[in-house]
Amino acid sequence: MHPMLNIAIRAARKAGNHIAKSLENADKIQSSQKGTNDFVTNVDQEAESMIIEVIKTSYPEHSIIAEESGLLEGKDAEVQWIIDPLDGTTNFVKGLPNFAVSIAVRIKGRTEVACVYDPMLNELFTAQRGSGAQLNNSRIRVNPSKELTGTVLATGFPFRQKQHSESYLKILTGLFSECADFRRTGSAALDLCYVAAGRVDGYFELGLKPWDIAAGELIAREAGAIVTDFSGGTDYMKSGNIVTSSARVVKSMLKHIRENGNEAIIK
């Protein structure tokens, strides 16, 4: 195992266990709004501090991009840890047990290792570039679906960018005319991992942040999925718009996105 993946797993488990334990004392969870329909809790912040501490103990010179702390520059700017301490905060606040810790390491702009940990199910999704993806150390693979018909797709509503809701709903309607059904779980990191594990056949969402995507997209790609932005390119870390599935299903999904999306989201 890559030594940085080992540290990422250690940090994710520590943070995840703290998050799960915090639900036992729900009255001590303090929630506040940091943006439009975007929440943060004291537990997010505590979990993030734990992750940073684990990373800095082993790699004090590495840079870190964290959802709550922002950019923490280190002497070694070529190595970046991208952290989402609690992906699915709204679920967590509501007591819905679908959230995860997401950690990725990018070296010279390329994601090398990733882990996503679901503490409620004790499921650890991991990947190393070029070495495949695993769920609790067992190899996972994307469903090799050849057509959109019969697929179950995951998505997330653009709650941060409601100006795109009309365009998004047109895309959703177009896809729904062909696919079997949709799932909307509330955690982008887990949606990407569920594509990797074959639990859903594809996933699309717009307006995401780098920490929502960084770990899950490597896990999906290493499981054999195609990952693109809405124009079919690979600029999803910058645009925040992502599509993933098997090659043929991605092609069909992109067709609906192009036909129904507006120019502002298809760049």
Side-chain angles (χ1 to χ4, degrees):
M1 184 185 292
H2 195 294
M4 289 184 204
L5 181 55
N6 198 24
I7 297 302
I9 291 168
R10 187 186 304 171
R13 285 194 182 278
K14 185 174 183 179
N17 292 339
H18 174 70
I19 292 164
K21 200 168 183 181
S22 297
L23 281 179
E24 296 171 12
N25 298 298
D27 57 319
K28 292 184 180 178
I29 299 171
Q30 299 163 2
S31 176
S32 60
Q33 196 162 323
K34 62 179 181 179
T36 305
N37 305 312
D38 203 1
F39 297 92
V40 63
T41 72
N42 55 317
V43 178
D44 293 67
Q45 293 161 340
E46 290 158 7
E48 186 168 287
S49 294
M50 289 178 176
I51 294 167
I52 291 170
E53 184 183 11
V54 172
I55 294 167
K56 287 294 186 184
T57 299
S58 295
Y59 299 104
E61 296 189 350
H62 288 181
S63 297
I64 295 172
I65 298 174
E67 179 174 9
E68 310 308 336
S69 304
L71 174 61
L72 305 173
E73 289 191 44
K75 289 182 182 178
D76 189 349
E78 290 189 340
V79 183
Q80 284 187 336
W81 293 70
I82 303 180
I83 301 165
D84 191 337
L86 208 177
D87 185 61
T89 298
T90 301
N91 284 348
F92 174 75
V93 169
K94 296 292 186 183
L96 291 166
N98 200 80
F99 43 79
V101 181
S102 174
I103 303 173
V105 183
R106 286 169 69 81
I107 301 173
K108 296 181 180 179
R110 189 161 63 177
T111 309
E112 295 290 338
V113 302
C115 76
V116 173
Y117 180 53
D118 178 346
M120 304 309 289
L121 294 177
N122 193 29
E123 290 191 331
L124 179 71
F125 298 88
T126 57
Q128 288 177 224
R129 192 173 63 84
S131 299
Q134 290 80 33
L135 165 56
N136 291 345
N137 296 318
S138 294
R139 185 74 183 264
I140 51 176
R141 294 289 297 174
V142 67
N143 280 340
S145 306
K146 293 183 179 178
E147 57 184 28
L148 199 52
T149 305
T151 57
V152 174
L153 304 178
T155 189
F157 299 127
F159 63 91
R160 293 192 194 102
Q161 298 184 6
K162 290 195 175 182
Q163 71 271 24
H164 296 312
S165 59
E166 185 180 349
S167 185
Y168 169 83
L169 289 171
K170 283 181 181 177
I171 294 168
L172 198 70
T173 301
L175 288 167
F176 191 55
S177 68
E178 278 196 71
C179 74
D181 207 349
F182 277 97
R183 294 292 179 267
R184 193 267 191 263
T185 69
S187 168
L190 287 177
D191 284 338
L192 287 161
C193 290
Y194 287 178
V195 172
R199 293 176 178 175
V200 292
D201 302 301
Y203 165 67
F204 84 101
E205 190 165 349
L206 64 90
L208 294 167
K209 301 293 185 182
W211 45 80
D212 297 320
I213 301 172
E217 69 88 21
L218 179 67
I219 292 166
R221 284 193 292 113
E222 286 295 327
I226 300 297
V227 184
T228 78
D229 57 23
F230 282 10
S231 66
T234 57
D235 208 21
Y236 43 84
M237 288 287 285
K238 186 177 179 182
S239 70
N241 305 337
I242 194 165
V243 183
T244 182
S245 185
S246 63
R248 289 192 184 181
V249 174
V250 162
K251 189 176 180 181
S252 298
M253 291 172 75
L254 287 171
K255 178 175 176 284
H256 283 284
I257 289 167
R258 277 194 295 270
E259 288 174 357
N260 298 293
N262 59 34
E263 286 184 19
I265 61 174
I266 305 168
K267 298 173 183 175

